[in-house]
């Protein structure tokens, strides 16, 4: 079975490649812009009333066939599911972001680590009581 | 552009339909089992060394064409991206879970709200310093 995702927007960022991007978006204060395609804009209604969101995007330049990686700062390989390495069978990028500005179909956020041009997939409000421990 | 996800396992839970499932997995103490297909098992190496994970799954029974919904406890429609409703163009299910047991390719977790039989997509360790505010 294949499952098809629909890109619903595109992310603009200063990160042109993996080498130029932070290990986690949270470690940088760069701003990124999520541009939502017009046909999905209706789904943004009210979005400015919450501050923190979880952004899901597609890591289109990720290596999908890797199941083991050497994590940052380590020397031995680990299973990808025990790491935050941006590789693996379904490279869904995930970042908690702060929503700084909403301008029509453009969301300006910080803490996002998506490479420039990454397809945008989904955004959900962060609820501390269910999304954190 | 279409993006293809590969189911890498299957989730077994007590939730047979939306009506019988909690509003958020966190609000229940039910346990679920994530069974990872053998070809992806290598990616699990080391997974038992961390306690909290973020599980990504596919909400295969979700309505993908809805951009507005009336959230639980509200009376007016809101854009789906401002809600946690399990609908929208890319119904990627997301839950923070506690990993209770690892038995070969089977992960027993709590706080997962996936319906029984949902395709499993990805799992990442939860890092409080980047995934929470």
């Amino acid at each position: 079975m294949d499952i098809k995702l629909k890109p619903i927007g595109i992310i603009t960022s200063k990160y042109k490649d993996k080498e130029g991007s932070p290990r986690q978006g949270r470690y940088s204060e760069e701003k990124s812009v999520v541009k939502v395609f017009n046909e999905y804009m209706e789904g943004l209604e009210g979005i400015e009333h919450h501050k923190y969101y979880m952004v899901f995007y597609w890591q289109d330049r990720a290596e999908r066939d890797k199941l083991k990686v050497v994590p940052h700062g380590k020397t031995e390989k680990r299973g990808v599911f025990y790491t935050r390495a941006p590789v693996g069978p379904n490279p869904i990028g995930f970042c908690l972001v702060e929503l700084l500005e909403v301008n029509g179909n453009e969301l300006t956020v910080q803490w996002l680590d998506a490479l420039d041009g990454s397809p945008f997939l989904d955004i959900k409000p962060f609820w501390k009581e269910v999304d954190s421990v």
Side-chain angles (χ1 to χ4, degrees), chain A:
Chain A
M1 178 177 63
D2 278 325
I3 299 167
K4 281 187 185 172
L5 291 173
K6 306 173 200 174
I8 61 167
I10 196 98
I11 296 167
T12 304
S13 80
K14 295 220 169 109
Y15 310 133
K16 303 304 174 193
D17 51 37
K18 210 178 82 176
E19 289 64 37
S21 68
R23 199 155 65 84
Q24 293 289 331
R26 191 65 172 273
Y27 303 152
S28 166
E29 292 180 356
E30 287 289 0
K31 294 173 182 58
S32 298
V33 175
V34 177
K35 188 172 181 177
V36 179
F37 298 145
N38 287 340
E39 63 192 290
Y40 300 106
M41 256 192 83
E42 204 185 344
L44 295 177
E45 201 176 296
I47 201 161
E48 69 278 8
H49 297 301
H50 195 75
K51 190 170 179 182
Y52 299 107
Y53 281 86
M54 299 180 294
V55 168
F56 301 76
Y57 66 96
W58 188 246
Q59 295 174 319
D60 58 341
R61 280 147 277 183
E63 297 170 276
R64 297 186 71 170
D65 56 350
K66 276 200 176 172
L67 288 174
K68 291 242 188 135
V69 286
V70 179
H72 182 91
K74 308 287 176 188
T75 52
E76 289 190 11
K77 282 192 175 182
R78 291 178 173 179
V80 285
F81 303 125
Y82 174 44
T83 79
R84 294 295 290 266
V87 300
N90 293 303
I92 298 168
F94 168 86
C95 283
L96 174 68
V97 305
E98 181 175 349
L99 179 60
L100 302 171
E101 197 185 336
V102 180
N103 194 344
N105 63 338
E106 294 192 354
L107 314 176
T108 302
V109 302
Q110 70 174 355
W111 304 340
L112 188 57
D113 61 12
L115 295 185
D116 189 46
S118 297
F120 169 60
L121 298 175
D122 197 8
I123 184 167
K124 301 181 199 289
F126 173 76
W127 289 1
K128 197 177 176 73
E129 71 275 20
V130 300
D131 300 318
S132 183
V133 279

